[in-house]
Amino acid sequence: MNGPEENRGVSRMTIPLDSAGREPETLLAVEELKKYFPLKSGLLGRETGCVRAVDGVTFHLQQGQTMGMVGESGCGKTTVGRTILRLNGEKSAGRVLFQGREVYDLDRQALRSLRTEMQMIFQDPFSSLSPRLPVGEIIGEAVREHHLVPKEEYSDYIDQIMENCGLQPYCKERYPHEFSGGQRQRICIARALALHPRFVVCDEPVSALDVSIQAQIINLLKELQEKYQLAYLFISHDLSVVEHISDTVGVMYLGSLVEYGQKKDVFQNPLHPYTRALFSAIPVPDPKIRKKRILLEGSIPSPANPPQGCKFHTRCAWCMEVCRKEIPLRTEAEPGHFVVCHRYGGAL
Ligand code: SF4
């Protein structure tokens, strides 16, 4: 979760066993991933610093599972997803292993074929769909490009994908503006699934939708996951949705994962002060239960100039002297439950 030098002496990530007692297949391993964007100024465009958008992120994702990623706006969640998919140019450091292969070592051809296995669903379904193409074309464009099905089966294949995603095949000649927001998101899901991916980055896929439509899309994603054994990286700021859909949860703050573990462990026993503050805002559907809200003071610091020591120390109610000077280590507080905080571990 922190830089390589920051994780010395930290144990190997514990992977929970499946119902048969086996270690499930690791589909995606992200290790100490960093993505910095240079800051340039002056006429010559000299580099004067960098924005540490992703600053050491480590997690593993198993086949057929969902990792929920939460955090405030601007904490780097989307950049993590895009960097995993190699949509942001070169990474700054770390590794992205998909089925054991380093994604950043692949040549053009190998990356092109990997694109069918790693897909992304965007937050705004309208702007991510071409307004000039009918829906059938939008869904099938990449299928044709990658020659995924024989020509004679193409039309039936698109019909089938549309049906699987709750869209009527007779609508395939219509254009995106003729559909509602929920249907447009279904089109985006159908477009991603048409390529038979194994891993999908879902970047705030329901936040632009009404609550009733959100539930339909979440249920659709779950159904499709069961059917095709998909793995999702589900990025959201809606904690209730993340709790509903995820198997594991990562909490991001200022480009780093500050807590990561099984959903049940993170939600029932949040350890990091930032996670506690975030989760204290989840509404409880019982009027008798009064929850104490932890209010965070100050705003999120700039990723171009993050605080020294623990990045959260400027807003942490438990801040100690050591927090201002030393970067905390990632610690496995309980099996498979990691936290980056001096309250639970040592420092460099
Ligand atoms: Fe708070 Fe210190 Fe833990 Fe950072 S390391 S979260 S400042 S207690």
Side-chain angles (χ1 to χ4, degrees):
M1 295 181 209
N2 289 318
E5 68 285 357
E6 291 153 24
N7 285 320
R8 267 180 278 138
V10 175
S11 58
R12 176 184 175 268
M13 193 164 285
T14 310
I15 297 170
L17 304 181
D18 66 14
S19 51
R22 293 177 305 243
E23 216 176 67
E25 185 194 344
T26 296
L27 182 72
L28 176 75
V30 177
E31 292 171 1
E32 310 302 344
L33 185 63
K34 295 184 180 184
K35 177 66 193 175
Y36 297 169
F37 295 98
L39 285 173
K40 294 181 177 173
S41 66
L43 274 178
L44 298 174
R46 281 216 182 91
E47 210 174 305
T48 52
C50 63
V51 174
R52 297 163 179 238
V54 178
D55 198 16
V57 166
T58 296
F59 66 88
H60 289 176
L61 183 57
Q62 321 303 325
Q63 185 72 52
Q65 296 214 333
T66 300
M67 157 135 175
M69 190 170 268
V70 297
E72 287 165 294
S73 296
C75 68
K77 305 185 294 289
T78 298
T79 313
V80 170
R82 291 181 61 87
T83 309
I84 290 169
L85 298 185
R86 219 174 137 174
L87 296 176
N88 275 339
E90 282 304 306
K91 62 184 162 63
S92 304
R95 302 202 303 166
V96 180
L97 302 172
F98 185 73
Q99 295 174 305
R101 284 191 303 169
E102 170 56 81
V103 171
Y104 280 82
D105 286 348
L106 300 178
D107 60 21
R108 232 178 115 101
Q109 189 57 36
L111 183 62
R112 193 171 175 275
S113 56
L114 187 76
R115 287 267 175 254
T116 61
E117 298 197 49
M118 300 170 93
Q119 286 290 303
M120 187 157 185
I121 299 169
F122 298 91
Q123 176 176 4
D124 180 359
F126 198 52
S127 61
S128 63
L129 297 173
S130 167
R132 291 190 188 84
L133 289 179
V135 162
E137 272 293 301
I138 291 173
I139 296 170
E141 202 179 13
V143 175
R144 272 212 307 266
E145 179 75 16
H146 289 275
H147 309 292
L148 287 188
V149 288
K151 242 182 184 172
E152 59 280 11
E153 292 171 23
Y154 172 78
S155 182
D156 289 345
Y157 179 74
I158 300 301
D159 290 356
Q160 186 62 54
I161 292 285
M162 287 182 76
E163 266 177 27
N164 288 349
C165 294
L167 293 161
Q168 299 297 338
Y170 65 78
C171 297
K172 65 183 175 188
E173 296 308 324
R174 294 189 186 164
Y175 289 82
H177 72 268
E178 297 176 65
F179 292 83
S180 67
Q183 284 173 320
R184 283 199 287 260
Q185 196 54 294
R186 286 173 188 267
I187 297 167
C188 293
I189 295 170
R191 177 177 59 182
L193 286 194
L195 297 175
H196 277 309
R198 302 190 73 191
F199 168 62
V200 182
V201 175
C202 305
D203 185 11
E204 305 263 13
V206 294
S207 51
L209 306 174
D210 293 343
V211 176
S212 58
I213 310 294
Q214 283 187 7
Q216 289 176 19
I217 297 294
I218 295 292
N219 289 339
L220 174 65
L221 287 171
K222 286 193 95 161
E223 270 169 40
L224 295 170
Q225 179 172 50
E226 267 174 38
K227 196 165 178 178
Y228 300 112
Q229 277 299 292
L230 297 168
Y232 295 137
L233 173 61
F234 193 91
I235 297 166
S236 179
H237 60 264
D238 187 331
L239 296 167
S240 312
V241 171
V242 167
E243 186 174 17
H244 180 67
I245 199 166
S246 305
D247 297 290
T248 56
V249 175
V251 181
M252 279 202 76
Y253 184 77
L254 215 56
S256 302
L257 268 189
V258 294
E259 186 159 356
Y260 168 68
Q262 292 295 302
K263 171 182 72 179
K264 148 176 91 50
D265 295 337
V266 177
F267 273 85
Q268 288 176 6
N269 183 26
L271 299 174
H272 196 279
Y274 176 63
T275 316
R276 289 186 182 191
L278 213 57
F279 286 14
S280 73
I282 302 175
V284 184
D286 184 346
K288 288 182 211 130
I289 297 177
R290 285 199 170 268
K291 229 173 145 187
K292 192 166 182 293
R293 175 100 193 257
I294 303 170
L295 291 174
L296 285 178
E297 295 196 352
S299 53
I300 190 163
S302 164
N305 186 22
Q308 280 197 333
C310 170
K311 287 183 186 173
F312 187 60
H313 86 251
T314 52
R315 304 171 78 191
C316 181
W318 287 275
C319 180
M320 304 170 281
E321 197 48 40
V322 63
C323 308
R324 296 195 179 90
K325 296 180 192 143
E326 295 183 38
I327 299 167
L329 282 172
R330 184 183 71 205
T331 309
E332 191 168 11
E334 57 182 317
H337 188 174
F338 296 85
V339 61
V340 181
C341 175
H342 284 300
R343 280 155 55 99
Y344 304 95
L348 282 178

